[in-house]
């Protein structure tokens, strides 16, 4: 049975990906602690994780063998790019080493953090379906898992560097939120409605204003507001518009864009630094980084198309056996 694609999810991922590239452009130019950086930092990654959680839920019953098979495929598509593109980036930076950093650069933490969320959810979802948990039982189950994550954060357990416990601690709740939204209509209706949209906008604005405090609670609450606001806004995009089709293409290909974009950020012209280094230059930063981010995304898609033409290179660089949609 074919699965109907949910266009708004592609739009959300596109916006998140654009923010990621813009944020990395700003950081590469040594521009930090600005209003633009704050809003990007609040929105970008929670959007990715909530959409990933939403797509992680499967309605149909699966055997344990099918569940493990799906996890292995998912692991391949996340861990292969993590290793391969980390090595590529290290070689481009002339960092030849056999340490863990060779296969796990800080910028690629997203792949392994999302993989951990998938692993935890795979076993939780299997348990939930096997024992036919209701919504309350599911919340207790995932809360228990999160309690273990918090304990690991307190103990600073990182399993030799392969467990980004701080990132998992922050983003796992967003992953679970997306999953519960997909699984339970009640959660979806409470999260996405005209009233939550207003509340979300207020939380985002307030959280953004106080973001300099760098409080986990403030950033988390603001990010929840950002998820609601961006998702609701994406619902209003007419899928027949040309811009919607462009957003959809980017949203369907965020994995290769995330993997490749660091190469283009690393070779950014230094002349941009003088252009952007303007006191209170929010709009200068916004416009210039947006234009550069669009260019980077276009180049990433071009590289991805070239590498994906051959199934062997597609498997080597992205761990995928099938072509992604365009």
């Amino acid at each position: 049975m074919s699965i109907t694609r949910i266009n708004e999810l592609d739009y959300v991922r596109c916006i998140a990906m654009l923010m990621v590239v813009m944020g990395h452009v700003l950081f590469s130019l040594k521009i930090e602690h600005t209003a633009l950086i704050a809003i990007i930092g609040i929105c970008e990654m929670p959007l990715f994780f909530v959409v990933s959680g939403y797509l992680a839920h499967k309605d149909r019953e699966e055997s344990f063998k099918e569940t493990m098979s799906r996890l292995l495929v998912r692991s391949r598509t996340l861990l292969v790019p993590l290793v391969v593109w980390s090595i590529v980036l290290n070689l481009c930076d002339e960092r030849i080493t056999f340490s863990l950093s060779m296969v796990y650069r800080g910028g690629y933490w997203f792949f392994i953090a999302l993989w951990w969320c998938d692993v935890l959810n795979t076993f939780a979802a299997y348990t939930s379906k096997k024992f036919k948990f209701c919504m309350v039982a599911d919340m207790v189950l995932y809360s228990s898992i999160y309690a273990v994550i918090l304990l690991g954060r307190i103990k600073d357990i990182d399993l030799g560097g392969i467990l980004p416990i701080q990132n998992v601690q922050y983003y796992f709740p967003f992953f679970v939120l997306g999953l519960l939204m997909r699984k339970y209509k009640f959660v979806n209706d409470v999260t996405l409605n005209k009233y939550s949209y207003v509340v979300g906008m207020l939380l985002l604005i307030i959280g953004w204003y106080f973001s300099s405090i760098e409080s986990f609670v403030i950033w988390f609450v603001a990010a929840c507001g950002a998820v609601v606001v961006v998702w609701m806004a994406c619902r209003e995009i007419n899928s027949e518009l040309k811009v919607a089709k462009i957003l959809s293409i980017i949203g369907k290909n965020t994995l290769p864009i995330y993997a490749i974009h660091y190469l283009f950020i690393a070779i950014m012209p230094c002349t941009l630094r003088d252009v952007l280094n303007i006191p209170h230059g929010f709009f200068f930063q916004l416009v210039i980084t947006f234009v550069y981010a669009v260019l980077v995304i276009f180049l990433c898609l071009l590289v991805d198309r070239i590498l994906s033409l051959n199934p062997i290179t597609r498997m080597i660089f992205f761990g995928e056996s099938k072509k992604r949609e365009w």
Side-chain angles (χ1 to χ4, degrees):
M1 183 176 66
S2 61
I3 299 176
T4 303
R5 193 164 193 99
I6 306 174
N7 291 323
E8 66 198 55
L9 299 184
D10 290 330
Y11 306 153
V12 172
R13 287 192 294 192
C14 173
I15 292 172
M17 190 69 253
L18 188 61
M19 286 185 172
V20 167
V21 179
M22 290 174 65
H24 290 163
V25 170
L26 289 169
F27 279 125
S28 69
L29 295 173
K30 311 300 181 185
I31 298 175
E32 302 178 8
H33 307 299
T34 66
L36 183 56
I37 284 287
I39 194 67
I40 289 175
I42 288 171
C43 299
E44 51 180 0
M45 287 306 173
L47 293 173
F48 274 125
F49 279 90
V50 76
V51 171
S52 296
Y54 194 92
L55 296 175
H57 174 67
K58 306 300 178 185
D59 292 320
R60 73 180 186 87
E61 292 288 337
E62 290 182 329
S63 66
F64 185 76
K65 183 178 179 181
E66 289 176 319
T67 300
M68 290 298 99
S69 177
R70 183 161 56 84
L71 178 60
L72 287 175
V73 172
R74 181 62 169 164
S75 298
R76 189 183 67 204
T77 57
L78 287 174
L79 299 183
V80 168
L82 166 70
V83 174
V84 172
W85 289 99
S86 292
I87 293 174
V88 170
L89 191 57
N90 273 285
L91 292 175
C92 290
D93 290 345
E94 298 182 351
R95 298 182 182 181
I96 310 301
T97 174
F98 293 100
S99 67
L100 184 61
S101 63
M102 189 66 175
V103 294
Y104 175 40
R105 291 291 296 272
Y108 289 120
W109 65 265
F110 169 72
F111 288 118
I112 196 166
L114 182 56
W115 179 76
W116 275 105
C117 289
D118 273 326
V119 170
L120 294 171
N121 174 63
T122 296
F123 293 100
Y126 181 79
T127 301
S128 177
K129 287 184 178 180
K130 184 175 180 62
F131 295 101
K132 302 186 183 303
F133 282 179
C134 63
M135 184 176 68
V136 175
D138 269 345
M139 289 182 175
V140 172
L141 174 62
Y142 284 101
S143 296
S144 300
I145 294 174
Y146 191 59
V148 175
I149 294 173
L150 291 178
L151 181 61
R153 177 72 178 94
I154 293 171
K155 298 294 185 180
D156 199 22
I157 298 173
D158 64 358
L159 301 183
I162 64 172
L163 172 58
I165 188 66
Q166 182 175 354
N167 295 318
V168 175
Q169 172 216 349
Y170 184 72
Y171 294 111
F172 186 69
F174 292 103
F175 186 93
V176 173
L177 172 61
L179 183 140
L180 294 178
M181 286 172 61
R182 180 65 176 271
K183 188 173 183 179
Y184 298 107
K185 185 176 183 297
F186 173 78
V187 177
N188 187 81
D189 292 343
V190 169
T191 305
L192 302 176
N193 59 69
K194 60 183 180 180
Y195 302 108
S196 66
Y197 182 78
V198 175
V199 174
M201 182 67 75
L202 290 174
L203 293 177
L204 176 58
I205 293 173
I206 294 172
W208 174 61
Y209 183 81
F210 291 102
S211 60
S212 59
I213 299 177
E214 297 186 357
S215 164
F216 172 85
V217 175
I218 291 176
W219 279 70
F220 184 84
V221 171
C224 290
V227 166
V228 174
V229 170
V230 174
W231 197 315
M232 291 290 289
C234 288
R235 279 187 166 184
E236 302 303 316
I237 298 176
N238 186 345
S239 61
E240 298 302 319
L241 297 176
K242 288 184 177 180
V243 66
K245 298 183 185 302
I246 295 174
L247 294 177
S248 183
I249 290 174
I250 297 173
K252 293 172 183 176
N253 294 276
T254 50
L255 187 148
I257 294 172
Y258 191 93
I260 300 169
H261 83 279
Y262 281 104
L263 301 180
F264 296 107
I265 299 299
I267 60 175
M268 176 185 300
C270 296
T271 52
L272 278 179
R273 182 173 303 177
D274 296 330
V275 176
L276 291 176
N277 192 19
I278 303 173
H280 309 293
F282 177 90
F283 290 104
F284 286 98
Q285 294 175 18
L286 176 62
V287 172
I288 294 176
T289 55
F290 175 81
V291 171
Y292 192 84
V294 170
L295 174 61
V296 167
I297 289 174
F298 172 78
L299 293 174
C300 289
L301 289 173
L302 180 61
V303 172
D304 171 54
R305 288 300 97 182
I306 294 173
L307 294 176
S308 297
L309 289 174
N310 186 289
I312 297 177
T313 55
R314 189 164 64 240
M315 178 62 71
I316 290 174
F317 285 95
F318 302 112
E320 296 177 333
S321 58
K322 298 180 180 179
K323 280 189 176 181
R324 273 168 272 102
E325 294 184 53
W326 263 61

